[in-house]
Amino acid sequence: MGKRSKRRTHVKVDETALAKVPKSFVIKAGVVGRSLAHLVKDIRRTMEPNTALNLRERKGNKLKDFVAVAAQLHVTHLLVFSKTAAGTNLRIGRIPRGPTLTFRVTSYALAADVLALQNRPKSPGTEFKCPPLVVLNNFGGDDKHVKLMATMFQNMFPPIQVQTMKLAEARRVVLFNRNSETNEIEFRHYTVTVKVTGVSKSIKSIIQTDVPELGRYDDVSDYILRGAFASESDVEDAGESTVTLSQNYVGKGNKMAEQRAIRLVEMGPRLQLSLLKIQNGLCEGEVLYHSLVQKTSAEIKEQERRRKASEAERGRRRAEQERNVAAKKAANPDAAADGDADDQDGDEMDLDEQEDYEVEDDDGGGGAMEE
Amino acid sequence: MAHAMAQAPPAPYSLDSLQARLAAHQKCFDSLVELIPPKYYFPSDVDADLAGKHLHNKKNKAPKQAVKDATKKAKKHKLDPESSTSVLDIQSDHLKAAAGSKPNGKAAAPAASASIPLGLVTALPSGSIVELQAKLKSRIDELRAKRKAPPTDGDAAPEQQPRSRQEILQIRADRKRQRKESMKAKKEKRRKLDDTMGMSTTPKSEVGSVTGKKRSADEVTEDVSFGKLDFGVTEPSKKRKGPTDIAGQLKQAEAKKMKLEKLKETAPEKAAHIEESATWNKLLKQAEGEKVKDDVKLLKKSVKRKDQAKAKSGTAWADRKASEKKAIDDRLKKREENIKARLEQRNAPKGSKKKEAPKKKRPGFEGGGGRKKPAK
């Protein structure tokens, strides 16, 4: 026997392509309560596989910790859930210094609740290995903030690779539906299932499951022609909403060039979002759009002035503390000076809610302008 | 008692034998009541119960002597032939006592109700029996109608009544099946509604569906767009506009800023408009992932950083070169020195050879010279 040479070797991962796929961190900020924690978990599953499923936030973690780690891991988006007295907020931001969209979550339903509504809930299988397809409804028009929302939502998920994608990789759909009157955005998450159409119930059960109990019938025609009650949905599907499978699909008997009806089964959490504001930086920066508050330029200037004053004060105190520490060290070189000189005022880029400071790009972010 | 009743002849219901009948009934009841010991018949005093067997730390516990006397007295009373021990006797005693204390017409009723709370029936509500029966019937009919109960045998028309057991069973099975199908239809409708909630439905399917629950079922605007498609081919026509190095970008950003400032002076609205659209475009590009570099401050910092790095690497290069040169020079010098020394050594006459310096000895053995003999 000659030497066997390996042919189908392990596919090498293209690093540059991997870096381009958008990845996300979904975190909760502060005390949020049990159901919101569950919602965070559900959203993480929705964003699978390009998100950290078992991410743990410690109490002391600040936003800059996540940002620092994200750069190495090529994470591009940050989704933060937080709870205030006014309600629940979701912030979606692009990681280095990208825009942040703040939404108010007016209502939500957990995945477990959605499944409890169904008669026969589908248990999740291998659907989460591939990223979901994105569908947006009613995001047209000229409004800049609407366009920005659409772009953000589209870019949170990896694009469809037209050349190399297989049909079996399209297993889930994420829908964002915008209601123009109330300006609310509904988020839904579905599993794609294909169903056989155009055959009676008896034949369907023969095709799809094993041969049923035929002991009661004298002839197989008795079984087939028993006239089982056809469901309404079968009649509906028969017309235009069938497709021809271009490749083999997941599931028993779904082969190429067969007619199937596509059915979307709701699976994941439901969110009802309404846009609050759009900020220039990551959870900070100039507020470019606010749905509720409109500030006059005088107010903006005043706020800016106050912010600059507090920044200056902070800088001064920090410098003074460092001087004291250095003096102590010089005086008594043995005694270890316990310094928490950093992070005295450490709420620069806090995870928690911030006031609307309208600022220019401050250099606290640490100039990440690389070539 | 039933035995006694059966033996009596069925008397005609006339008024004169009423007395006899009442007496007979009374005798039956009395014989039964007499069998019951008075302890269980008469209601006990409520207060005695409260301080009863469950309260162990009764403050008003009777002293032992009093308890002993009371038991002795009760025993004697039980065996006394003149004392009344049956229920009927005790009742007659009570009646006599009550009649003696209040000798007027009202003695009977209050005595009956107050001193002997035997559960005797109080006065019935006024109205004849027939009226009450009519009221009862109407009330029952009302309740049945509310409940939609099937009519009883006497009421329905003869042809509607089911003739046989088979028919009754058939009717029941039909009703059950109807109920099941209606439930199924309702469930199916509800499931469809849940499935389509939030989705943009086509007008065709809206014809049949219930639009009551959905807020704006008629006005779901269809304007569907999808996620990004990556064709895997970079467009050749897309060329980078503007300088790609940082210095050039900085110049460009500064130039833009200058222009905007100038425009602000002349046409502020236009300037504001341009600025706003510039910010929004920047945001859109950033949302897509492209890095937009137009902040003068940050660009300056990058330029500075780059220059510093360049300078540092320049000095490092110079240092390296210098040290290399120095090393070469040193080696060269050493070589020449060695050559020179060798030449001098060779060419110099014999006489001029100096006494060589004495070789350095090992530590501890510097003495040398004459060795002393060891002392005996």
Side-chain angles (χ1 to χ4, degrees):
Chain A
M1 203 160 138
K3 183 171 193 293
R4 256 195 307 175
S5 61
K6 269 195 191 176
R7 295 269 167 71
R8 290 186 304 166
T9 49
H10 172 63
V11 173
K12 286 197 178 54
V13 160
D14 190 1
E15 283 299 330
T16 49
L18 206 66
K20 274 201 238 153
V21 170
K23 298 188 181 57
S24 52
F25 275 156
V26 185
I27 56 183
K28 49 190 189 291
V31 177
V32 288
R34 216 172 297 178
S35 32
L36 204 55
H38 276 300
L39 182 68
V40 168
K41 281 200 191 133
D42 288 339
I43 298 280
R44 274 189 200 152
R45 277 218 98 194
T46 316
M47 312 283 292
E48 223 182 316
N50 292 315
T51 189
L53 272 185
N54 297 321
L55 188 63
R56 293 259 181 88
E57 310 102 353
R58 299 261 147 70
K59 206 166 82 161
N61 280 145
K62 302 220 170 285
L63 205 66
K64 59 185 180 191
D65 302 335
F66 288 102
V67 173
V69 177
Q72 297 169 353
L73 300 171
H74 305 293
V75 174
T76 52
H77 286 84
L78 187 67
L79 279 77
V80 186
F81 281 92
S82 59
K83 197 162 176 167
T84 59
T88 313
N89 290 345
L90 165 64
R91 280 175 281 166
I92 305 182
R94 186 95 209 185
I95 278 207
R97 40 187 66 247
T100 309
L101 276 67
T102 307
F103 294 96
R104 161 85 13 102
V105 183
T106 38
S107 61
Y108 59 88
L110 301 175
D113 299 335
V114 168
L115 288 176
L117 278 177
Q118 294 169 0
N119 282 335
R120 298 217 179 89
K122 274 180 68 72
S123 35
T126 49
E127 291 129 3
F128 293 98
K129 282 198 185 146
C130 311
L133 309 173
V134 185
V135 178
L136 301 167
N137 182 37
N138 206 11
F139 276 88
D142 284 333
D143 286 335
K144 291 256 167 69
H145 60 272
V146 174
K147 259 198 248 183
L148 186 63
M149 275 199 290
T151 321
M152 270 305 248
F153 290 143
Q154 278 173 337
N155 287 79
M156 270 202 300
F157 300 95
I160 301 174
Q161 305 291 335
V162 173
Q163 307 283 353
T164 58
M165 177 170 147
K166 295 201 200 78
L167 192 67
E169 288 172 12
R171 304 286 305 276
R172 297 185 288 139
V173 175
V174 150
L175 167 75
F176 293 95
N177 176 34
R178 179 171 161 262
N179 192 336
S180 352
E181 292 113 45
T182 63
N183 265 321
E184 293 221 327
I185 296 166
E186 295 170 338
F187 168 90
R188 298 284 187 271
H189 180 215
Y190 300 96
T191 313
V192 174
T193 51
V194 291
K195 282 195 143 74
V196 177
T197 56
V199 288
S200 72
K201 205 163 175 178
S202 328
I203 301 197
K204 211 197 290 190
S205 61
I206 292 182
I207 298 175
Q208 293 197 313
T209 59
D210 286 332
V211 178
E213 267 282 340
L214 296 175
R216 291 178 291 165
Y217 304 100
D218 290 327
D219 192 54
V220 73
S221 60
D222 290 340
Y223 169 71
I224 290 178
L225 299 173
R226 74 198 152 126
F229 175 65
S231 60
E232 279 177 45
S233 36
D234 274 350
V235 176
E236 222 179 70
D237 287 333
E240 337 165 315
S241 45
T242 52
V243 294
T244 314
L245 297 174
S246 58
Q247 292 171 5
N248 290 354
Y249 196 68
V250 177
K252 184 171 174 188
N254 294 325
K255 298 279 178 270
M256 199 163 105
E258 287 198 355
Q259 292 267 355
R260 291 286 182 271
I262 309 252
R263 199 73 71 75
L264 296 179
V265 176
E266 187 163 8
M267 155 167 79
R270 291 185 190 174
L271 287 179
Q272 199 91 356
L273 306 169
S274 77
L275 181 67
L276 272 186
K277 67 183 179 191
I278 299 182
Q279 277 174 306
N280 212 345
L282 182 63
C283 292
E284 55 171 10
E286 188 188 346
V287 174
L288 287 154
Y289 168 85
H290 204 299
S291 64
L292 305 171
V293 170
Q294 247 58 253
K295 287 201 165 134
T296 64
S297 57
E299 286 173 339
I300 295 173
K301 281 203 182 66
E302 172 64 26
Q303 215 173 28
E304 166 100 24
R305 189 194 61 78
R306 246 188 294 139
R307 194 196 76 88
K308 284 224 156 66
S310 80
E311 284 265 3
E313 178 69 19
R314 246 192 266 154
R316 195 185 57 76
R317 266 191 268 129
R318 208 181 306 161
E320 188 185 328
Q321 176 71 353
E322 277 177 15
R323 270 201 303 273
N324 292 346
V325 166
K328 259 197 182 166
K329 265 203 181 134
N332 196 351
D334 303 323
D338 219 359
D340 54 341
D342 62 322
D343 225 27
Q344 262 180 343
D345 40 10
D347 49 350
E348 274 243 24
M349 279 165 100
D350 213 343
L351 275 178
D352 301 333
E353 301 287 333
Q354 265 203 339
E355 290 180 40
D356 288 355
Y357 286 137
E358 313 227 331
V359 298
E360 301 161 7
D361 243 331
D362 63 25
D363 34 4
M369 288 281 204
E370 292 146 8
E371 271 195 296
Chain B
M1 177 192 124
H3 155 82
M5 289 272 290
Q7 281 201 340
Y13 294 117
S14 59
L15 272 172
D16 36 343
S17 56
L18 181 64
Q19 194 82 11
R21 272 184 283 126
L22 277 176
H25 292 160
Q26 178 77 19
K27 220 161 70 167
C28 295
F29 284 124
D30 280 348
S31 58
L32 276 180
V33 166
E34 209 159 8
L35 295 173
I36 305 173
K39 188 171 73 165
Y40 299 112
Y41 195 81
F42 293 114
S44 52
D45 202 356
V46 182
D47 292 332
D49 269 357
L50 280 179
K53 49 184 174 172
H54 297 296
L55 297 172
H56 297 292
N57 291 334
K58 309 191 277 259
K59 290 277 162 76
N60 49 355
K61 236 188 207 170
K64 253 194 176 167
Q65 191 56 39
V67 168
K68 267 192 179 170
D69 290 341
T71 44
K72 273 204 188 135
K73 202 161 149 219
K75 229 180 183 176
K76 268 203 183 144
H77 178 79
K78 198 164 79 166
L79 299 169
D80 185 6
E82 285 153 26
S83 72
S84 43
T85 49
S86 80
V87 173
L88 292 171
D89 295 335
I90 298 177
Q91 278 180 350
S92 53
D93 283 345
H94 283 167
L95 261 173
K96 271 192 213 129
S101 63
K102 277 197 203 146
N104 47 1
K106 288 190 194 154
S113 56
S115 60
I116 316 173
L118 299 170
L120 291 176
V121 180
T122 50
L124 286 170
S126 63
S128 70
I129 299 287
V130 180
E131 275 179 26
L132 291 171
Q133 275 181 345
K135 246 186 171 175
L136 182 64
K137 188 170 179 343
S138 65
R139 180 86 181 121
I140 289 178
D141 284 337
E142 198 184 301
L143 288 172
R144 282 180 73 94
K146 200 166 156 197
R147 175 163 66 90
K148 295 191 197 104
T152 48
D153 283 337
D155 304 351
E159 61 266 15
Q160 281 178 10
Q161 286 182 42
R163 291 287 147 193
S164 64
R165 182 171 177 272
Q166 198 67 357
E167 287 188 25
I168 296 174
L169 286 177
Q170 185 70 23
I171 289 173
R172 269 197 220 149
D174 287 336
R175 269 197 226 129
K176 193 169 173 190
R177 197 172 8 100
Q178 265 176 30
R179 219 180 318 144
K180 219 173 183 179
E181 280 178 5
S182 72
M183 289 275 288
K184 207 169 180 180
K186 223 191 282 180
K187 226 182 199 177
E188 188 74 23
K189 201 161 64 172
R190 205 184 335 135
R191 184 188 71 81
K192 255 180 51 175
L193 206 65
D194 283 341
D195 268 352
T196 59
M197 215 136 135
M199 273 167 68
S200 58
T201 51
T202 60
K204 174 177 171 291
S205 66
E206 264 171 52
V207 169
S209 68
V210 173
T211 55
K213 276 195 190 166
K214 254 194 298 253
R215 275 173 289 141
S216 55
D218 307 327
E219 287 149 46
V220 173
T221 37
E222 257 205 48
D223 178 15
V224 187
S225 55
F226 299 96
K228 279 175 65 177
L229 299 174
D230 183 10
F231 292 94
V233 181
T234 47
E235 293 169 24
S237 61
K238 194 170 187 170
K239 66 172 170 71
R240 278 284 191 90
K241 256 168 74 173
T244 46
D245 62 328
I246 296 190
Q249 280 174 346
L250 176 61
K251 246 191 254 169
Q252 201 183 37
E254 280 180 336
K256 259 200 200 143
K257 202 170 161 186
M258 286 300 214
K259 258 211 279 189
L260 200 63
E261 297 277 314
K262 264 196 220 133
L263 198 58
K264 258 194 202 152
E265 287 152 23
T266 55
E269 315 91 33
K270 200 170 168 198
H273 176 71
I274 288 181
E275 202 179 340
E276 200 190 325
S277 63
T279 354
W280 279 105
N281 282 340
K282 183 180 170 189
L283 282 189
L284 279 171
K285 284 218 180 78
Q286 278 185 330
E288 282 176 19
E290 296 170 32
K291 292 191 180 164
V292 177
K293 300 174 180 172
D294 68 342
D295 186 4
V296 170
K297 214 173 177 186
L298 292 171
L299 281 170
K300 273 195 188 149
K301 273 177 83 180
S302 321
V303 166
K304 189 173 173 194
R305 211 175 342 120
K306 194 164 168 212
D307 288 341
Q308 277 177 345
K310 243 185 176 169
K312 191 165 160 205
S313 67
T315 55
W317 180 251
D319 280 344
R320 221 170 335 150
K321 271 186 93 164
S323 68
E324 244 184 58
K325 192 156 181 293
K326 184 160 172 288
I328 291 173
D329 285 343
D330 282 346
R331 256 185 285 136
L332 209 61
K333 207 161 78 178
K334 191 80 198 291
R335 189 163 176 267
E336 282 179 7
E337 265 178 32
N338 291 347
I339 291 174
K340 205 165 87 180
R342 214 184 14 238
L343 278 176
E344 273 181 16
Q345 196 188 41
R346 208 185 297 159
N347 293 344
K350 275 191 186 167
S352 64
K353 226 199 250 184
K354 275 194 299 200
K355 261 252 179 205
E356 288 179 23
K359 239 176 22 179
K360 189 159 185 242
K361 290 215 168 161
R362 284 187 307 155
F365 293 90
E366 291 102 350
R371 283 194 205 132
K372 286 207 181 118
K373 273 198 170 169
K376 259 215 171 162

